Amino acid sequence: MGSNCDYTKAVFDHFQNPRNMGEIEDADGVGTVGNPSCGDVLKVMLKVDGDKISDVKFQTFGCAAAIASSSMMTTLVKGKKISEAKKITNKDVAAALGQLPPIKVHCSNLAADALQKAIGDLK
Amino acid sequence: MRIYLDNAATTKVYPEVAKKVNEIFLKSYGNASSLHSVGREARSELVKAREEIAKFVGCDSKEIVFTSGGTESNNLAIRGLAPMNPDKKHIVTSVVEHPSVLETCKYMGKWGYEIDYVGVDSEGIVDVKEVEKLIRDDTLLVSVMHVNNEIGTVQPVEEIGKVCKKKGVYFHTDAVQGFSKVDLDLGNIDLMSVSGHKIGAPKGVGFLYVKNGTKISPILNGGGQENGLRSGTENVPGIVGLATALDVSVDKKKIKKSRDKIIAGLKKIKGVKINGSMKNRVYNNVNVSFYGIEGESLMLMLDKDGIYVSTGSACASTKLKESYVLKAIGAEELYVHGSIRMTLGEDVVGNEDFVVGKIEEKVNKLRKISPFKLELENE
């Protein structure tokens, strides 16, 4: 435990008040990553308007860091051009959250992975 | 409101213990090995505490070896027995032991010992017959815990002790979670580990009960304290604190009623499973799994509202692994990660509905976030 499990204020904020949580029924792109046996499953849904991401929603089964990373990732993506969203990496998500405990860094990886998978799913 | 439901992790020191320990710190601060009056005063406190503890345990005061706590006691039992019995190279333990037993056994494996792990049933109970089958001619000892730290299951240690006695092998029990909570007859138990901070005494003190005639070798060498079995200046304040804690009466019946009320309330939530045995369970343990959510998230949400629980699963313990205890009892994947443990103290009494209500609220919130909620509705 100890410092390894200490979260930043931003992590707590996004965990307690997740942004863009929910579903898009007629999503243009969906990306799901993770595995229930590992304790993390992230699903990202995108709606596009021209070359822009007009809406994004997520659903996450996972720890506080996984939920916060998902939420933060959606705020980085919403309203962005698809070409810009493609450049978003786990480092961007982790940086936006301040810092993640080393053992939780994989949670930010998953958020970025789910996003890229959803972008890849766009028609 | 603050409701502390993590008494299996550690307890608040009882006020009367804190007072007594403070007194020792300030008045009987001598080294119990010193010959002058200050030392003698500390020594007499130590002797008195040892006798009180032995009386509580129901043993001879010579059978108590004070240590720094549960981990050291478990290490001393297993690693201490080995050099006294060099021909015995086999250990039997269970899959649900505390890491301080499992890791010590693993360490013994590096020194040529063969370890056999007895499994558990769906309630987390060790099969005594299986233990018997695993015992060999070269078995050094059997080590099975008294009460499981995660799911609170009480193991049939007295029966296992009988089998060990019959087979002529040593039997050690890690009683850190059961001592003073669940009665235990030491008749067939050779070694028993106890920790102070689980029962209202300070951290950093505990003991190993070593039955007369059981020969162990020290793992800490030095000044020869504790009959040469545990060198190091005696932690007199801690030891006196431990003896004082045993004097404090705990209303187990009241807490058990609270536990049952909480369990009954939790069972009304959809997609819930109570882990462990309802019959053979320590009076203050609740271990519950919720479908489709993750335990650390639930713990942190409850934390915000002043309810302090723990999770044996995944992320909370810095090890990104699901609980090996819940896995051993065959809990399903989507439940295993969504488990929390509540180990009750007296402050929960009267607040059961509040606790259950908050848990339900947080579970619903997390299920809204989770992609697995639909499957639950189809259940």
Side-chain angles (χ1 to χ4, degrees):
Chain A
M1 312 230 172
S3 61
N4 262 357
C5 254
D6 289 344
Y7 289 134
T8 61
K9 272 189 184 160
V11 172
F12 274 118
D13 177 32
H14 278 262
F15 164 61
Q16 302 279 3
N17 313 294
R19 279 54 146 192
N20 304 307
M21 184 263 291
E23 279 183 287
I24 301 175
E25 301 245 322
D26 56 343
D28 297 313
V30 179
T32 304
V33 297
N35 187 324
S37 68
C38 303
D40 291 298
V41 176
L42 274 70
K43 186 177 177 190
V44 174
M45 291 142 277
L46 300 174
K47 189 84 194 151
V48 291
D49 184 7
D51 63 346
K52 264 190 178 173
I53 293 175
S54 56
D55 199 9
V56 53
K57 295 260 193 237
F58 81 90
Q59 288 182 322
T60 292
F61 159 75
C63 63
I67 292 171
S69 298
S70 310
S71 167
M72 182 55 91
M73 178 274 295
T74 63
T75 65
L76 297 177
V77 167
K78 204 168 176 176
K80 289 259 166 71
K81 279 188 177 168
I82 296 170
S83 55
E84 289 171 326
K86 270 186 183 167
K87 290 180 197 151
I88 291 173
T89 65
N90 64 310
K91 281 188 185 128
D92 300 321
V93 178
L97 287 170
Q99 205 189 348
L100 281 173
I103 199 145
K104 302 289 185 158
V105 169
H106 85 115
C107 299
S108 60
N109 292 350
L110 285 176
D113 290 352
L115 168 67
Q116 296 311 330
K117 211 169 166 186
I119 292 173
D121 187 49
L122 292 171
K123 272 130 208 146
Chain B
M1 188 157 22
R2 284 165 72 96
I3 303 177
Y4 182 74
L5 303 176
D6 204 9
N7 287 283
T10 196
T11 57
K12 179 161 95 177
V13 168
Y14 293 128
E16 43 273 71
V17 172
K19 189 169 166 261
K20 185 74 192 170
V21 170
N22 195 46
E23 247 174 66
I24 304 286
F25 273 139
L26 300 175
K27 279 161 69 189
S28 312
Y29 53 84
N31 185 320
S33 300
S34 296
L35 293 177
H36 48 62
S37 310
V38 186
R40 283 205 299 274
E41 198 183 320
R43 189 152 62 249
S44 102
E45 291 287 353
L46 175 62
V47 168
K48 211 166 76 191
R50 191 188 303 278
E51 278 166 4
E52 281 166 22
I53 292 167
K55 198 175 154 204
F56 186 94
V57 174
C59 70
D60 196 78
S61 58
K62 280 194 230 95
E63 295 175 306
I64 303 285
V65 178
F66 289 115
T67 66
S68 63
T71 294
E72 189 190 330
S73 295
N74 287 335
N75 270 267
L76 178 58
I78 298 167
R79 288 164 59 193
L81 213 45
M84 307 306 275
N85 304 275
D87 300 335
K88 310 265 183 179
K89 297 285 186 193
H90 176 239
I91 296 170
V92 177
T93 188
S94 89
V95 293
V96 295
E97 295 302 305
H98 186 267
S100 58
V101 166
L102 290 176
E103 290 300 317
T104 302
C105 287
K106 220 166 106 187
Y107 168 83
M108 297 301 288
K110 285 187 200 158
W111 294 94
Y113 285 77
E114 214 180 306
I115 320 295
D116 269 317
Y117 299 89
V118 60
V120 293
D121 66 13
S122 61
E123 293 191 337
I125 298 173
V126 163
D127 184 352
V128 184
K129 282 190 191 126
E130 210 191 318
V131 173
E132 186 166 7
K133 273 189 219 156
L134 289 171
I135 295 174
R136 320 190 304 213
D137 289 342
D138 66 338
T139 301
L140 171 70
L141 92 151
V142 172
S143 180
V144 174
M145 70 201 323
H146 181 202
V147 170
N148 182 265
N149 48 307
E150 284 191 40
I151 56 175
T153 298
V154 181
Q155 299 294 353
V157 283
E158 289 172 7
E159 286 93 285
I160 296 171
K162 258 185 234 162
V163 165
C164 292
K165 180 123 189 192
K166 190 176 84 183
K167 293 268 189 175
V169 301
Y170 289 111
F171 179 49
H172 164 249
T173 187
D174 168 4
V176 164
Q177 296 291 349
F179 180 71
S180 84
K181 293 190 176 78
V182 180
D183 289 342
L184 184 58
D185 180 356
L186 290 178
N188 296 312
I189 293 168
D190 302 300
L191 299 145
M192 172 179 73
S193 301
V194 171
S195 169
H197 76 104
K198 310 289 191 190
I199 53 170
K203 290 150 191 69
V205 67
F207 65 85
L208 180 68
Y209 159 82
V210 184
K211 194 187 281 307
N212 278 331
T214 303
K215 293 213 162 33
I216 60 166
S217 164
I219 54 173
L220 295 179
N221 298 289
Q225 290 88 345
E226 297 298 296
N227 263 328
L229 291 177
R230 204 282 189 177
S231 288
T233 300
E234 296 91 341
N235 175 6
V236 179
I239 291 165
V240 172
L242 177 46
T244 311
L246 294 176
D247 254 354
V248 179
S249 67
V250 179
D251 197 337
K252 295 178 195 171
K253 272 190 192 154
K254 210 161 76 180
I255 296 173
K256 189 169 184 239
K257 262 190 191 165
S258 269
R259 179 200 75 180
D260 292 341
K261 203 173 165 190
I262 288 175
I263 289 178
L266 292 174
K267 276 185 171 168
K268 290 181 191 151
I269 301 173
K270 262 188 168 184
V272 65
K273 285 208 170 116
I274 305 294
N275 301 306
S277 166
M278 275 321 293
K279 200 170 138 240
N280 300 301
R281 186 185 204 103
V282 67
Y283 66 84
N284 73 337
N285 173 290
V286 180
N287 189 304
V288 60
S289 294
F290 299 97
Y291 177 90
I293 62 166
E294 206 274 333
E296 187 214 67
S297 292
L298 182 54
M299 177 197 69
L300 286 172
M301 285 210 170
L302 291 168
D303 174 60
K304 199 175 168 249
D305 284 3
I307 298 173
Y308 309 112
V309 306
S310 78
T311 155
S313 78
C315 306
S317 57
T318 69
K319 292 170 196 134
L320 290 168
K321 266 188 176 173
E322 68 274 30
S323 153
Y324 60 89
V325 174
L326 294 181
K327 258 199 130 171
I329 63 171
E332 295 164 54
E333 244 171 32
L334 276 160
Y335 280 95
V336 145
H337 288 278
S339 65
I340 54 167
R341 175 189 73 180
M342 289 171 268
T343 40
L344 321 182
E346 282 182 2
D347 61 346
V348 76
V349 177
N351 294 313
E352 299 87 353
D353 293 340
F354 174 76
V355 169
V356 172
K358 280 290 171 195
I359 291 173
E360 186 169 16
E361 177 194 321
K362 306 303 179 188
V363 166
N364 288 338
K365 187 173 174 188
L366 286 166
R367 280 185 176 158
K368 276 202 187 110
I369 303 175
S370 170
F372 292 114
K373 62 180 185 292
L374 287 172
E375 292 172 39
L376 174 72
E377 281 160 21
N378 294 337
E379 253 191 5

